[in-house]
Amino acid sequence: MMMTKTHSSEKVPLWRKVLSGLAEAPPTGLLGLVVLFTYLFVIVFAPWLAPFGEATIVADAFAPWSAEHLLGTDSLGRDIYSRLIYAARNTVGITLMATLLAFVIGGALGMVAAVVGGWVDQVLSRLVDMLMAIPLLIFALLLLMIFGSSVTALILILGCLEATRVFRLTRAVAMNVAVMDYVEAARLRGEKMLWIIRREILPNILSPLFAEFGLRFCFIFLLVSSLSFLGLGLQPPTADWGAMVRENAMLITFGRVTPLLPAAAIAILTIAVNLVVDWFTHKASGLSK
Amino acid sequence: MNQLLMTVAKRLGLGLFTLLIISMVIFLAVEMLPGDIATEILGQMATPEAVAAIRQELGLDQPIVSRYFDWLSGLLTGDLGQSLATGQPVLELLDDRLINTLYLAGTAALISVPLALGLGVIAALYRNTLVDRAVSMFTLSAISMPEFFIAYVLILFISVQLGWIPSMSKVDADQSLLERLQLTILPAITLTFVTCAHMMRMTRAAIINLLSSPYIEMAYLKGLGPWRIIVHHTLPNAWAPIVNVIVMNLAYLITGVVVVEVVFVYPGLGQLMVDSVAKRDLPVVQAASMIFAATYILLNLIADVVSIVSNPRLLHPK
C-alpha cells in the first residue's frame, strides 16, 4: 500500500488505515491481494518449500505424478514441483528488477522533460517516439541476439525498452502538475530543478505511477515469460516458468497437463496484479463502487 | 479539405522518416555486435587470409556509411543478401513465410474484429449487469494469459483429447484453401483471444463515454430503444477511437504471431525470426525485423490517418 501522506490523516495509525482500507475492498481486490501474498510467501521461502534442488537430477526422465515427485519429473529427470517453486524467484525477480529500472530511467527523464520543457523535452520525446515505433518483442529479440541472453542483459534490455512507456506516462502526468501555481512559486523563489521534482512533482504523481507500476510489471512479466518460452530468456539450468513450458511441451501430446501448470502460474499472478491495480485506481480516482 | 490533406501528408512524411530512422537503428544495432562476423562464420581457428576474404565478400571492409546505403538500397530493390546459416538468398527464405504469416494474421483479424465489436456493444448495452461483469472478467483473464498458455490449452483439448485438428500447423503452398484454413484455425483462435479482449474493452468504453451526451439523452426522450440508440446514434460517433484500437491491435498481432507460430510450428516469419536469432543469422534477423517494424509503423499510420479523416472538425474547416 502506498499512499500520499496528508497532514490530517497523520494521527490515524497506519495499521488502522490499512485495516479500514481492506474492509472496504471489493472481493476481487482482496482475492488479488491474497494471491499476491501467496506468491510472495513462495518466493521468500522457496528453498524450504521445495523438496529438491532447482537443477538436481533426482529420477528418470518424464516420471509420472507420484507421492515422491508431486508433479513428476521433466526431460532431464528434475523434480517439476521444485522447479515450479524456484522459478517463482527467478522470473519474478528479473521482472521486478527490470520494472524498477524502467521506472528509474523513464520516471526520472519524464519528470525532467516535464519540468525543464523546451528543447530537452522535444529531444527526449522524439527519441521515445522513434524507439516506440519498433514492436517491443522484435526489438527485444534483436537486442538479445546482440548482447546474448544473460540475466544482466535481459534486465537492462527490458528495463530500457519499457522505460519509453514509463517516460510517456510520467511526462504526461508531471506536465499537469508542472503548470500548478505552487510549482511556479517554487521556481520563482529559486529552487533547483531536483528539489522541485522531489518535493513538488513526485509526491503528486505517485498514485498514477503506482498503478502504472503494476501494469508495467504484468507487461514485462509476460514478455520475460515469452522470451524464455522462445528459448531466448533465462538460460538453463535456471528454472523459469516460460522455459518450463517449452521444455515439457511434448507431454501435452500425451494428454498430460503438467506443462500447463507453469503457464497457469504466470496467468494467475498477472490476473492478481491486475485485480489489485483495478482496485487501487478505483480508490485513487475517488469513484464509489 | 486542403487542411485535411496537409495533415495526412504530414503524417505520411513523418511515417516515412520514422521508417528511415528505424532502418538505421536496426542496421547499427547489428553493427554493435561484439566480435567479428567473419570470425563468427569461420570459427576461431580461421586463418587471417580466410577472414579477410570473407570480410571482403560480405563488404565488411567498406566504411559503415556506404555499407548502410548499400543495405538500404538492397532492401528497397529486394536484394536482402544471403543467410549466413544456409547461404540461401534471404528473399527466398522470407517469401513463402511472409505470405503464411499474413494469412494467419488475416484469419485472426477476421475472427477477432467482429467478435470484439459485438461483445463490446453487448457489454455497453447491458452495462453494470451480470453479463457485463462476466464479459469483463473474461477479457481481463484473456489479457493476463501468456499466448502459449491459451495455445497449449487449445492443443490439449482440441488436438489431443478430441483429435479434431492436428497440433502442428504445417501449412504449405500445395494445400487446398480448406486444408490450409483447418490448419490455421487453432493459431488464429489463440491470437483472437489475446487481441479481442483489448478491442472489446475499448469499444465498450467508447460507447459508454458517449452515452452521457445530451443528444443521446434526447434520443432516449424521443422514446427510441436502447439497441437502436447504440447502433444508430452512438456507434457512428465512436468509430474514431474504435478503429484506432482495432488497427493498434492488428499491429499487436504482428508480435503476437511470433510466439504462436513457435507453439504450432507454423512456418511463418515469426518462427524464422526466432530461429535466426538463436543462430545469430544477421541478414535474416535484420530483414525480418525491418518487415515487422515496417508493418507496425504502417498500421499505426493507418490508425492515425483514420482518426484524422473521421474527425468531422477537420473535414469541414471554417
Side-chain angles (χ1 to χ4, degrees):
Chain A
M1 286 291 297
M2 199 180 284
M3 274 187 227
T4 42
K5 276 185 202 135
T6 54
H7 288 286
S8 58
S9 66
E10 250 168 7
K11 289 184 188 90
V12 186
L14 186 67
W15 62 270
R16 265 251 168 96
K17 266 199 310 196
V18 171
L19 219 63
S20 70
L22 284 180
E24 288 165 16
T28 48
L30 273 183
L31 180 72
L33 212 57
V34 169
V35 175
L36 278 193
F37 274 105
T38 316
Y39 273 78
L40 200 66
F41 179 80
V42 171
I43 289 168
V44 172
F45 296 104
W48 290 274
L49 292 172
F52 300 97
E54 181 179 355
T56 339
I57 293 169
V58 290
D60 291 337
F62 295 131
W65 294 11
S66 65
E68 194 189 354
H69 301 291
L70 279 179
L71 301 175
T73 58
D74 67 3
S75 58
L76 293 175
R78 295 170 298 194
D79 184 53
I80 289 183
Y81 176 64
S82 306
R83 280 176 72 73
L84 209 54
I85 289 172
Y86 274 105
R89 273 196 169 184
N90 303 330
T91 320
V92 175
I94 283 208
T95 308
L96 265 183
M97 298 290 281
T99 318
L100 282 174
L101 184 67
F103 270 79
V104 169
I105 300 175
L109 290 180
M111 285 189 285
V112 168
V115 173
V116 178
W119 67 269
V120 177
D121 181 28
Q122 282 297 319
V123 169
L124 284 173
S125 297
R126 291 298 83 74
L127 189 74
V128 164
D129 284 351
M130 289 296 161
L131 288 178
M132 283 179 72
I134 307 182
L136 198 78
L137 181 67
I138 303 300
F139 210 169
L141 285 177
L142 189 69
L143 291 176
L144 281 173
M145 174 181 76
I146 294 161
F147 297 108
S149 301
S150 66
V151 171
T152 333
L154 266 176
I155 293 174
L156 284 177
I157 290 171
L158 294 178
C160 291
L161 289 182
E162 282 289 331
T164 55
R165 274 77 180 164
V166 179
F167 171 87
R168 276 234 174 140
L169 180 94
T170 315
R171 180 182 167 277
V173 289
M175 278 288 194
N176 292 335
V177 180
V179 294
M180 293 287 177
D181 288 341
Y182 54 81
V183 178
E184 188 64 29
R187 264 202 201 114
L188 289 176
R189 66 173 186 263
E191 300 290 1
K192 298 271 185 318
M193 181 188 73
L194 280 181
W195 192 92
I196 296 179
I197 286 181
R198 197 163 47 89
R199 297 297 296 273
E200 309 283 14
I201 307 280
L202 191 58
N204 285 304
I205 61 171
L206 269 183
S207 95
L209 279 192
F210 181 67
E212 179 73 1
F213 190 87
L215 295 180
R216 282 299 126 208
F217 175 87
C218 290
F219 206 86
I220 297 180
F221 183 60
L222 287 177
L223 197 61
V224 172
S225 306
S226 291
L227 288 172
S228 296
F229 173 76
L230 295 173
L232 301 163
L234 284 166
Q235 295 301 306
T238 314
D240 171 273
W241 287 327
M244 285 177 72
V245 176
R246 178 195 184 83
E247 289 160 7
N248 301 307
M250 60 170 291
L251 285 177
I252 287 272
T253 44
F254 300 110
R256 286 175 53 185
V257 292
T258 319
L260 292 179
L261 297 175
I266 296 168
I268 292 170
L269 178 58
T270 323
I271 294 175
V273 174
N274 265 313
L275 289 177
V276 174
V277 168
D278 268 1
W279 168 29
F280 181 82
T281 40
H282 236 254
K283 215 171 131 73
S285 66
L287 290 172
S288 58
K289 276 163 227 158
Chain B
M1 202 59 207
N2 237 343
Q3 195 192 346
L4 179 74
L5 279 180
M6 279 291 285
T7 323
V8 172
K10 238 192 232 164
R11 194 61 195 78
L12 283 175
L14 190 66
L16 275 179
F17 179 70
T18 313
L19 206 53
L20 192 71
I21 300 284
I22 300 301
S23 73
M24 283 182 200
V25 171
I26 288 175
F27 183 79
L28 286 177
V30 173
E31 286 301 313
M32 280 157 54
L33 201 69
D36 188 53
I37 301 171
T39 335
E40 187 129 322
I41 299 170
L42 295 171
Q44 293 296 326
M45 307 297 285
T47 59
E49 291 78 29
V51 171
I54 206 153
R55 282 181 70 87
Q56 200 180 3
E57 194 192 314
L58 293 172
L60 290 176
D61 48 352
Q62 304 286 318
I64 182 162
V65 179
S66 80
R67 262 187 299 141
Y68 169 69
F69 282 108
D70 278 352
W71 179 71
L72 192 64
S73 66
L75 209 60
L76 293 174
T77 52
D79 173 20
L80 302 173
Q82 288 172 343
S83 155
L84 295 183
T86 60
Q88 267 179 294
V90 175
L91 193 66
E92 226 170 79
L93 276 172
L94 294 180
D95 200 15
D96 280 351
R97 286 172 174 266
L98 181 60
I99 293 171
N100 288 347
T101 293
L102 289 178
Y103 187 84
L104 170 58
T107 315
L110 277 183
I111 305 175
S112 68
V113 172
L115 191 67
L117 283 181
L119 284 178
V121 170
I122 289 175
L125 197 57
Y126 298 104
R127 59 195 171 282
N128 302 329
T129 65
L130 212 60
V131 181
D132 183 26
R133 287 195 71 84
V135 173
S136 97
M137 212 40 221
F138 169 74
T139 52
L140 174 68
S141 340
I143 313 180
S144 306
M145 288 172 189
E147 287 103 338
F148 50 83
F149 180 60
I150 299 169
Y152 280 122
V153 170
L154 286 176
I155 289 183
L156 181 67
F157 287 111
I158 295 183
S159 302
V160 179
Q161 295 194 339
L162 296 171
W164 287 350
I165 303 170
S167 67
M168 288 198 197
S169 306
K170 292 212 159 142
V171 295
D172 61 58
D174 302 330
Q175 287 158 344
S176 72
L177 200 67
L178 206 66
E179 269 180 306
R180 216 188 151 101
L181 194 65
Q182 196 199 13
L183 289 177
T184 315
I185 201 77
L186 280 188
I189 292 177
T190 311
L191 285 172
T192 301
F193 264 96
V194 185
T195 49
C196 188
H198 197 204
M199 285 192 276
M200 179 258 139
R201 284 196 152 193
M202 283 304 289
T203 308
R204 177 185 177 276
I207 292 177
I208 288 184
N209 203 12
L210 280 174
L211 283 181
S212 55
S213 333
Y215 84 99
I216 296 294
E217 202 177 345
M218 178 66 204
Y220 268 118
L221 293 176
K222 276 198 304 186
L224 296 183
W227 187 253
R228 195 183 157 81
I229 288 177
I230 284 188
V231 175
H232 290 273
H233 295 250
T234 320
L235 211 50
N237 277 315
W239 269 133
I242 293 176
V243 169
N244 212 355
V245 80
I246 287 178
V247 183
M248 299 276 253
N249 271 281
L250 295 187
Y252 180 77
L253 273 180
I254 300 302
T255 50
V257 292
V258 175
V259 172
V260 172
E261 281 179 1
V262 170
V263 175
F264 289 98
V265 206
Y266 185 92
L269 206 55
Q271 204 201 26
L272 178 73
M273 169 119 189
V274 173
D275 284 350
S276 306
V277 166
K279 282 188 259 174
R280 302 181 81 139
D281 195 340
L282 307 176
V284 181
V285 174
Q286 276 179 326
S289 318
M290 209 48 216
I291 293 177
F292 278 125
T295 323
Y296 189 72
I297 291 171
L298 183 73
L299 285 170
N300 278 312
L301 192 70
I302 293 175
D304 279 1
V305 171
V306 166
S307 57
I308 293 170
V309 171
S310 62
N311 185 343
R313 266 158 296 196
L314 282 169
L315 279 172
H316 305 289
K318 294 229 169 77

